[in-house]
Amino acid sequence: MKASLVGDIGGTNARFALWRDNDLHAVQVLATADYSSPEQAIEAYLKDQGLERGDVSDVCLSVAGPVDGDEFRFTNNHWRLSRSAFCKVLQVERLSLINDFSAMALGMTRLKPGEFVEVCPGQADAARPALVIGAGTGLGVGTLLSLGEQHWMALPGEGGHVDLPVGNAREAAIHQQIHSQIGHVSAETVLSGGGLVRLYQAICALDGAAPRHKTPAQITDAALGGEPQALAVIEQFSRFLGRVAGNNVLTLGARGGVYIVGGVVPRFAELFLRSGFAASFADKGCMSGYFPGVPVWLVTAEFSGLLGAGVALQQMLDH
């Protein structure tokens, strides 16, 4: 019996695994910069597993961007892909591409104890949508729907590019500071790795402080070390994330809960859990009463996108 393969391809790393018995096996992480194409990276992965071209029948890849048509250009690395050429080169019978946040959403159905932390208490309504939102290289937003009998549907979207919401005079000043530099201010402008730096620079400018840090890691480390300016940035980041997540909950009716994913927030998880996220999340005027009981979790699982690609593949194989 031929193998099935799943992949989760990001800007820096591509994660691959064999999909067998409804689970991941032989997970391996490869640097995208080391390979000229996804085909070349997959061949290297297969070689490490003692497999060759033609040994894999089905492939499902999680990728950043819309997945229509034969040609796909990765938005966060130098790779390009033609579905027909991919199948021919690797002698694959079927290739499925799934939006990265659709895969991330499906991955939430496989969370295990210890892979998430409660941010806001509540009881998820399984009959209602769940929101999956995460800051990383950009800001991803996805929707998870239960179809019953352990079947799921993930709806992709571009919710990271909505306008950044403003809730008070300080946030209006921050918005204006950033707008004066770049024009339109989307949620992703602030709620991403690069956005953390942009937010830090804006707050320093408003407070008349000279910026001391140039990378997200430096800002996070400074905040964890107690530096007031960096702490203020993390606090404001958390509050903006609360506002964006709350807007999405109202739009979707997402009483199925909110999953916060991505690489940025887990790096300052303790600060985030003590932040004003929850207050901003529910700060919706006459609709603030909608939020008590909507659970929010911070997800720390390592391979949710890869698992989600596997869930998508399994659902296709089952049909």
Side-chain angles (χ1 to χ4, degrees):
M1 184 176 178
K2 290 189 175 183
S4 297
L5 181 142
V6 292
D8 179 22
I9 299 174
T12 304
N13 294 312
R15 302 158 187 85
F16 298 109
L18 299 178
W19 184 256
R20 187 172 64 247
D21 300 326
N22 211 11
D23 207 353
L24 300 174
H25 298 268
V27 175
Q28 191 172 341
V29 182
L30 303 179
T32 56
D34 292 344
Y35 302 91
S36 62
S37 67
E39 292 93 332
Q40 188 185 69
I42 289 171
E43 275 206 277
Y45 170 79
L46 292 175
K47 184 177 179 182
D48 286 346
Q49 307 311 317
L51 298 172
E52 300 176 351
R53 296 182 185 184
D55 287 344
V56 169
S57 59
D58 292 274
V59 175
C60 183
L61 301 179
S62 162
V63 295
V67 293
D68 299 323
D70 181 72
E71 298 282 339
F72 182 82
R73 178 175 292 189
F74 291 81
T75 58
N76 51 3
N77 65 43
H78 63 287
W79 287 355
R80 299 174 71 174
L81 182 150
S82 159
R83 293 176 193 251
S84 54
F86 179 99
C87 291
K88 185 175 180 180
V89 167
L90 294 177
Q91 299 172 30
V92 167
E93 294 174 24
R94 287 172 293 272
L95 167 65
S96 299
L97 300 182
I98 180 173
N99 172 269
D100 59 342
F101 251 76
S102 291
M104 184 65 77
L106 289 172
M108 298 302 98
T109 68
R110 294 298 192 89
L111 288 178
K112 299 179 177 125
E115 293 183 332
F116 58 96
V117 179
E118 183 181 84
V119 180
C120 298
Q123 183 64 46
D125 183 344
R128 303 294 292 276
L131 170 70
V132 184
I133 183 168
T137 304
L139 178 65
V141 179
T143 306
L144 180 67
L145 301 172
S146 171
L147 303 180
E149 299 180 353
Q150 292 301 301
H151 281 78
W152 311 87
M153 177 182 289
L155 304 179
E158 295 298 336
H161 296 281
V162 300
D163 296 339
L164 181 72
V166 168
N168 54 46
R170 173 69 166 179
E171 291 175 0
I174 291 169
H175 184 286
Q176 183 56 43
Q177 177 66 31
I178 296 173
H179 187 275
S180 69
Q181 300 292 321
I182 64 170
H184 177 256
V185 184
S186 69
E188 183 176 274
T189 301
V190 165
L191 297 174
S192 58
L196 191 64
V197 177
R198 188 173 286 116
L199 181 60
Y200 171 71
Q201 292 170 340
I203 286 177
C204 284
L206 288 173
D207 294 347
R212 299 172 55 194
H213 311 300
K214 296 183 178 179
T215 68
Q218 289 172 354
I219 296 165
T220 300
D221 288 346
L224 293 172
E227 182 186 300
Q229 202 79 39
L231 281 169
V233 172
I234 297 299
E235 175 65 22
Q236 187 59 65
F237 184 100
S238 301
R239 287 181 176 272
F240 275 135
L241 182 57
R243 296 198 188 284
V244 174
N247 284 353
N248 276 280
V249 166
L250 289 179
T251 300
L252 297 169
R255 300 196 66 85
V258 178
Y259 298 90
I260 298 171
V261 298
V264 174
V265 176
R267 292 175 184 167
F268 50 82
E270 292 303 318
L271 293 176
F272 179 75
L273 293 172
R274 298 198 302 267
S275 75
F277 168 88
S280 293
F281 177 62
D283 182 19
K284 301 299 177 191
C286 66
M287 287 303 295
S288 297
Y290 189 85
F291 290 85
V294 177
V296 180
W297 305 280
L298 174 61
V299 176
T300 57
E302 190 174 7
F303 296 116
S304 292
L306 196 58
L307 262 172
V311 172
L313 179 59
Q314 190 67 50
Q315 293 191 159
M316 287 183 275
L317 293 175
D318 289 346
H319 282 78

